[in-house]
Amino acid sequence: MIDQTSLRMMQLAGQGYCCSQILILLALEGMGRENPDLVRAMAGLCHGMGDCDGPCGVLTGGVCLLGMYSGKGTDDDVADDRLPLMLESFRDWFAGAVAGYGGISCGSIAGGDCRTPDPSRCGTLLSGAYARIMEIVVENGMDPMTGKGDHA
């Protein structure tokens, strides 16, 4: 059975968004926000940063998402001291999740063709990554539905 998050991921993929964009869009939607500039910026991470040998967008998008929850965003803001450990936790999870694919590159994980990723590999990885990121956020006392700072 497909849960609502997985269904939404499939819808976003069908609309042409890549993995890194989908991670950010899910979080923004959960917070009731829109940020087209951020979503467009995340396109720079798509398809191994435009090179199939580059790192997977789930990894790069995931660390960006953790930064969105805990990084510095304004002159008066400070990064959360837990950010380095949060990033390490996600990177460790990711390394274990892709251990059987021969590397962390988009091409290794996608089965060789970054423009047409393997839906079973990439979809499963994307879903697992989003769930793990939300766990990390909650484990660190943050609310994934409000994000960081006052955005009223």
Side-chain angles (χ1 to χ4, degrees):
M1 185 170 157
I2 296 176
D3 64 24
Q4 286 300 109
T5 302
S6 296
L7 180 60
R8 184 65 180 136
M9 286 178 179
M10 288 187 282
Q11 290 171 335
L12 291 169
Q15 293 171 351
Y17 295 104
C18 73
C19 297
S20 54
Q21 291 175 303
I22 291 170
L23 288 172
I24 291 295
L25 280 164
L26 289 172
L28 288 169
E29 288 175 1
M31 290 184 260
R33 299 182 194 162
E34 292 182 5
N35 190 333
D37 291 328
L38 176 59
V39 175
R40 278 190 291 276
M42 296 303 288
L45 303 176
C46 295
H47 312 293
M49 296 190 300
D51 175 4
C52 218
D53 291 330
C56 172
V58 174
L59 173 60
T60 56
V63 298
C64 288
L65 181 51
L66 286 168
M68 187 174 86
Y69 281 106
S70 57
K72 179 179 176 68
T74 65
D75 290 348
D76 297 329
D77 194 9
V78 294
D80 191 295
D81 290 341
R82 297 169 289 190
L83 179 57
L85 292 175
M86 294 168 64
L87 295 173
E88 180 181 2
S89 178
F90 179 65
R91 286 191 318 265
D92 289 348
W93 174 89
F94 186 86
V98 301
Y101 299 140
I104 65 166
S105 75
C106 183
S108 295
I109 296 163
D113 184 0
C114 293
R115 297 291 173 192
T116 54
D118 180 317
S120 64
R121 284 184 181 189
C122 297
T124 300
L125 183 61
L126 184 61
S127 180
Y130 187 72
R132 181 62 190 131
I133 292 164
M134 292 300 108
E135 287 173 1
I136 292 169
V137 167
V138 170
E139 287 168 359
N140 283 277
M142 298 169 196
D143 184 349
M145 300 313 223
T146 61
K148 185 175 185 206
D150 181 12
H151 299 282

